[in-house]
Amino acid sequence: MDTLDIKRFEISEHLRLCAVQTDKFKAGTITFHIAMPVSPKNVAFASVLCGVLKRGNKKYPTVTDVYRRLDELYASSLDVRTSFNSSEISLSLYSELLDNAFAPCGTDILDGIIELISLALLCPVADGNGFAESTVAREVATLRSALLAESNNTQSYALIRVKEMLCRENPNYPTLEALLGVLDDIDARSLWAFYLELVSYSPLDVFYVGGTDAETVAKKLGTYFGSYAPTKSFSQDAKAPDAPLQMSERSEQMSVSQSKLALGFHSSVNLMSTDYHAAILFNEIFGASPISKLFVNVREKMGLCYYCGSSYNTFSGALIVSSGIEGSRRELAEREILAQLDTLKRGEISDAELAAAKKSLINVYRQIYDNPFDISNFHSSRMRLGIDESIEDCISAFDAVSLEDIVRVAKTFVHDTTFFIEGTSDGDEKCEVDEYDE
Amino acid sequence: MMNKRAFESAMLGERYERITHRSGLTVIVFPKKLTTAYAIMGICCGSVNTAAKAADGSKMIFPEGVAHFLEHKLFTCEDGSDAFEHFSDYGADANAYTSFNRTAYLFSCTENFDKSLGELIDFVTHPYFTSESVASEKPIITEEIKMYDDSPSEACFYGMLEGMYVHNKVKNNICGSSESIAKITPDTLYSFYDSFYKLSNMYLIVCGNVNADQVLAVADAHLPSESCGAFEEYVDVLDEPTTVALEYTEKKMQVSKPIFSIGFKDSNIPLSVYERYRKDAGMAILNEMIFSRATKIYSYLYENGIISSPNLDYGYTISRSFAYNFISGEASDPEAVLKVIKEYLEQAHLFEEDFKRGKRVMYAEFVKSFDSSESIANTLLSFVGDGAELFEYGKILESISFEEIKALFDELRSMPTTLCAVVPC
C-alpha cells in the first residue's frame, strides 16, 4: 500500500498550505484556490478576470513576456480558471512544473512559479483607474465567444443544460443566458472593483505535490504572499442535497445527426451523508463502467447508442445519465434507462457485479497515488470542505458497503429532469461542403 | 531462445528491457515504482491498412473502418462472455483504441496484474466472430460515427486531411462510414485478423511496478512456444502528389463561429526511422519558436482579434507514409488567418534565443512524459513499432542544431497549404 506524507501549515491567518513531498514524479503541481459565493455576476466577472490575469503582470507585462518566462522555467504551465458548483466559485491558479532536479542549469523552477503566480494574483497590469479598457474588452469578447460556442459540442452542451435544469430553483445558478446577460456590465472599472473584492476574500488555499520539502515551499509562499491580507471570509458550507422537483422536460432542435438524451435525478445523499460511499458504488454499477447496467443493456444488448453513462455529483447529490441516440428511439432509450434504475432499486445486483464494482473503484482510487494532479484534487476538495478522509479511508469505506446499502441509496434517486437535443440532420445532408482548388 | 536487450537513460534515471519472445512477439518491460501497472498489446495496423496480400499472392481489399470494427469485436469471447467482464473480475480497467497506423488493447490495474495480463494476451490472440455479434455491433458503431460527424473539430481536422491528400488513406475517418461498415462480415474480420494480427507484428508493452521475469512467465503460459511465422508486410504503393488536393474546403455545421485547420503538406519523408524522428523533434522545436504563445505572431493574431479564441493549437505528425504540420483555432475569417501566417512565414527570421527556448521546452516535455505509465507505454508502442529506441529521442533533441532548424524553416515555407473552415449553417 502506498502512503502520502501530507503536511499542513497555516503560513498566516489567510494563507494555508497542504504539501505532499515525494520523489516519485519528475514534475509536480502547485494550485492556489480562492472561493467566492456563486452567482451569475461572480462567475462571469471571475471568468473574464482569469483571462486578464493570464495576460500579464507588472514584471512580465505582456502575454509574450509571461509565456517566455514560463518557457524559461522549463515549460511550466500557468492556468488561471474558475469552476463552480451550486454554492461556490473557485478561482484557481494552477501550474505543472518540472522538478528542480531536472533543470540542468540549476534553475529554481518552483521559486520562479510561485513568484509568477503571486505577480498574476497580486500585481496585475493596471493604472490608477484599473485595468486597460482594450484588454478587458478583448477578454469579454473571448468569453462571449466561448459561451456561444458551448453548443458546438452537443454532448457537453446537453450536460450543461441538464445541470441548469436540475438547479432551476436556485436563483444564483449561472445559466448560459444569465452569464451572457452579465457580460454587458463588464468594463475596465467594474472588473477592477470586482478584482479588489476578490482578493479581499480569504483564505488562500495552496496545495503542492512535488520533490521540494514542505517547509521550503511554506517559506517561499511567505516571501511572495506576505502582503496578502484579505478582510472578508467565505467558507463553503457542507450543504444539504437539493430535494426532488416537479418533473421538467425540455427539447432543442439542432442541425446534427445524433440526438442527445440527458436525464437528471435528485437524491438525498451527498458527500456529507453516511451513505456517500454507497452512492458512488451505486453509480459505478448503474452506469460508470463497461460492465454497468446501462452499458451492458442500453448499448450492448439493445444497440441504442455508442455511449450511455451516468455521473454522480458528490456535492449536490444529483445524478445525470447522458447518451447519444437515434432521435426516433428516444422513448425506448428513456424507458430502458429508467428500467435499469428500477433493477437496482429492487436489488437485482449479483454478487459478481457488486464485487467487480468495488474492485473497479479501489483500482480508480489507488491510481490517484500515481498522478500529482489527482492527489492534489482529491485532498484539496476535501480540505476545503473540512473533510478528513484519506484515499485508504475511502477504499475501506467502499469495501464495507453492502447490497442493502446500495438498494437504500438507489431508492433515493428521483427522476425529475429531462433534456433532449433533437438532431434534425440525417448525416448526409448535415454538411454542405464548398471547396475550390486555386 | 529469447533475445534480450536493455536500454538505459542516465539523464532520466530510467531503464527498460526489450525481449523477443519464442513466439515471435516483442515484449517491452519498463519497470517503474508506481501503484498502477499499465499494459498494451499493440498491433502495427490501423485505419490506413485496407489492403493485404492473400495466400495466392493477390491483393485483398478491406472496407474502410475494418481495423476499428475489429477492435470493437475482439472483446467478444467464444463462450459468449465479454473480456471486459473478466478484467472487471480482476479489478482492472480495460480499453482499446485504433489510430491511423496502430491498434492497441490495454488495461491498467493496481492488483491482480498477472491474471489481467493473461486475459489481455488470451483475448487478443483468440478471435471469435459470429454473424449475430457482427450485425449487433453495426448500429453501435453507426452511432459512434454520427457522434464524430457531429463534432465540428473532428470535421475540421478530417476536412484538412481531405484537402491535403488525394489518395492517402489517412484522409478517411478511422471508424469508416455507415456504408463501408455495412459490408463487414465475420469473414472480413477473420481475413483482416489473419493478415495483420501476427505475433511478429505485435508488441506487448508493460510499464509499472513489475519486472521482466514476471511478464515473461505470463507470456510463456499464454503464448505458443514457437514462432508462428514472420509477418510479411504489404505495401500499397500510392501515387500521392506533392501538391494538395484542395487549397480550401468549407463545411457548414452547428457552430457559433468559424473554426479552422491549416495544413502544411510535407512530402519529404526520410526513409530512415531515426531521420524521421530527427525531423519530428526539429519540427516540434520550430513550432515552439514560431507559433507558441511566447511568439509575436500569436500575440498579433490574438490582440488584433484575428483569432477569436486564445487557443491556437499546432503540431507536426510524421510516419512512413504521411507527414504534415497543422495550426487550428477559431476565427471569424479563417482565410485572413492563413494570409497573416503566410506573410509572417515569408518575412520572419529565426533567432538563436528562440531556438534555445524551443529546445528547452521540448526537453522539459520529454522528461515530463516519463511520469505516467500510460504515457510511457503508448509512446513506446509508437517507437518500437517503427523499429526505434525511445531514449534516442532525448539524444536527438539534445543534438539538433540551429542550422538544422533554419533548414526546416525553409522547408516549411515551401510546403503547399490547405485550409479547412467549418462555418455556421
Side-chain angles (χ1 to χ4, degrees), chain A residues 45-270:
Chain A
F45 273 75
S47 301
V48 173
L49 182 65
C50 287
V52 172
L53 298 182
K54 274 193 280 194
R55 287 169 64 121
N57 54 67
K58 285 190 175 150
K59 189 169 176 183
Y60 303 101
T62 67
V63 172
T64 311
D65 296 327
V66 170
Y67 281 91
R68 279 179 183 256
R69 177 62 180 149
L70 286 166
D71 286 353
E72 268 174 25
L73 296 169
Y74 288 87
S76 297
S77 64
L78 174 58
D79 198 9
V80 189
R81 63 170 60 187
T82 56
S83 57
F84 61 87
N85 57 35
S86 53
S87 76
E88 76 150 21
I89 309 171
S90 173
L91 185 139
S92 312
L93 297 99
Y94 166 82
S95 177
E96 184 196 40
L97 61 158
L98 199 64
D99 194 88
N100 285 345
F102 290 94
C105 31
T107 309
D108 189 342
I109 299 172
L110 177 63
D111 192 79
I113 280 299
I114 294 177
E115 184 203 25
L116 202 52
I117 290 175
S118 75
L119 289 166
L121 188 61
L122 306 178
C123 306
V125 178
D127 59 22
N129 297 316
F131 299 115
E133 197 67 63
S134 61
T135 303
V136 175
R138 186 76 193 86
E139 291 306 320
V140 168
T142 296
L143 180 59
R144 189 187 306 278
S145 187
L147 292 171
L148 293 171
E150 291 289 6
S151 60
N152 290 5
N153 181 332
T154 47
Q155 187 175 349
S156 58
Y157 178 74
L159 288 174
I160 289 171
R161 287 307 195 193
V162 80
K163 281 178 194 168
E164 289 177 0
M165 289 172 72
L166 280 163
C167 293
R168 58 190 176 270
E169 302 273 289
N170 178 353
N172 289 323
Y173 193 81
T175 62
L176 290 176
E177 286 72 20
L179 292 172
L180 285 164
V182 174
L183 291 184
D184 291 338
D185 301 333
I186 304 178
D187 57 24
R189 189 179 290 254
S190 61
L191 190 68
W192 181 249
F194 177 81
Y195 164 74
L196 294 176
E197 192 189 352
L198 178 93
V199 291
S200 72
Y201 276 96
S202 70
L204 186 57
D205 285 316
V206 184
F207 206 99
Y208 171 75
V209 181
T212 304
D213 65 90
E215 290 74 14
T216 303
V217 181
K219 201 173 158 190
K220 288 178 190 297
L221 287 171
T223 303
Y224 290 111
F225 285 88
S227 64
Y228 183 71
T231 52
K232 292 186 186 175
S233 183
F234 173 75
S235 61
Q236 187 175 190
D237 292 330
K239 182 178 161 293
D242 297 325
L245 305 166
Q246 287 285 321
M247 183 67 196
S248 173
E249 287 191 39
R250 212 174 108 190
S251 296
E252 285 184 27
Q253 285 192 338
M254 283 194 185
S255 177
V256 291
S257 55
Q258 186 177 73
S259 298
K260 308 287 182 194
L261 176 65
L263 307 182
F265 303 78
H266 273 105
S267 90
S268 55
V269 179
N270 71 354

Side-chain angles (χ1 to χ4, degrees), chain A residues 26 55 72 145 326 370, chain B residues 14 36 146 303 360 371:
Chain A
K26 293 177 169 59
R55 287 169 64 121
E72 268 174 25
S145 187
E326 171 74 40
D370 288 343
Chain B
E14 305 284 6
T36 314
K146 281 186 185 177
E303 298 298 341
R360 180 180 279 221
D371 263 348

Side-chain angles (χ1 to χ4, degrees), chain A residues 2 24-28 54-55 63-64 67-68 71-77 96-98 102-105 107 138-139 141-142 145 148-149 151-155 253-260 290-291 295 299-300 303-307 324-326 329 352 355-356 359-360 362-363 366-367 369-370 372 426 428 430-438, chain B residues 11-12 14 32-36 72 82 84-85 88-94 108-112 136-137 139-140 143-144 146-152 179 244-257 259 288 292-296 298-299 302-305 307-310 330 335 353-354 357 360-361 363-365 367-368 370-371 425:
Chain A
D2 218 327
K24 195 167 165 179
F25 309 113
K26 293 177 169 59
K54 274 193 280 194
R55 287 169 64 121
V63 172
T64 311
Y67 281 91
R68 279 179 183 256
D71 286 353
E72 268 174 25
L73 296 169
Y74 288 87
S76 297
S77 64
E96 184 196 40
L97 61 158
L98 199 64
F102 290 94
C105 31
T107 309
R138 186 76 193 86
E139 291 306 320
T142 296
S145 187
L148 293 171
S151 60
N152 290 5
N153 181 332
T154 47
Q155 187 175 349
Q253 285 192 338
M254 283 194 185
S255 177
V256 291
S257 55
Q258 186 177 73
S259 298
K260 308 287 182 194
I291 59 157
F295 189 92
R299 173 181 142 137
E300 294 292 299
L304 290 174
C305 58
Y306 169 62
Y307 74 90
I325 57 169
E326 171 74 40
R329 301 167 96 181
K359 282 181 182 167
S360 172
I362 290 168
N363 189 41
R366 287 245 160 85
Q367 291 193 9
Y369 289 117
D370 288 343
D426 66 6
D428 295 329
K430 176 182 61 62
C431 286
E432 291 174 36
V433 180
D434 297 326
E435 47 197 40
Y436 62 82
D437 189 1
E438 283 177 342
Chain B
M11 182 264 282
L12 294 165
E14 305 284 6
K32 189 126 176 106
K33 283 191 179 164
L34 295 172
T35 311
T36 314
H72 270 235
D82 187 302
F84 279 123
E85 293 168 26
S88 295
D89 289 343
Y90 305 139
D93 182 18
S108 63
C109 69
T110 53
E111 56 186 18
N112 294 320
S136 70
E137 197 66 25
I140 295 171
E143 286 304 321
E144 185 179 3
K146 281 186 185 177
M147 186 180 78
Y148 291 125
D149 280 351
D150 287 341
S151 162
E179 292 77 25
V244 294
L246 297 161
E247 291 193 357
Y248 181 73
T249 314
E250 187 174 287
K251 298 183 179 189
K252 290 186 172 65
M253 288 183 76
Q254 178 82 36
V255 287
S256 57
K257 266 198 177 167
I259 60 170
E288 285 302 319
S292 84
R293 291 192 187 200
T295 62
K296 285 182 182 160
Y298 174 82
S299 180
Y302 186 57
E303 298 298 341
N304 292 290
I307 52 171
S308 44
S309 157
E330 183 189 279
E335 289 182 90
E353 179 197 340
D354 287 326
R357 180 178 58 76
R360 180 180 279 221
V361 168
Y363 159 81
E365 297 298 348
V367 174
K368 282 193 246 176
F370 286 88
D371 263 348
C425 296

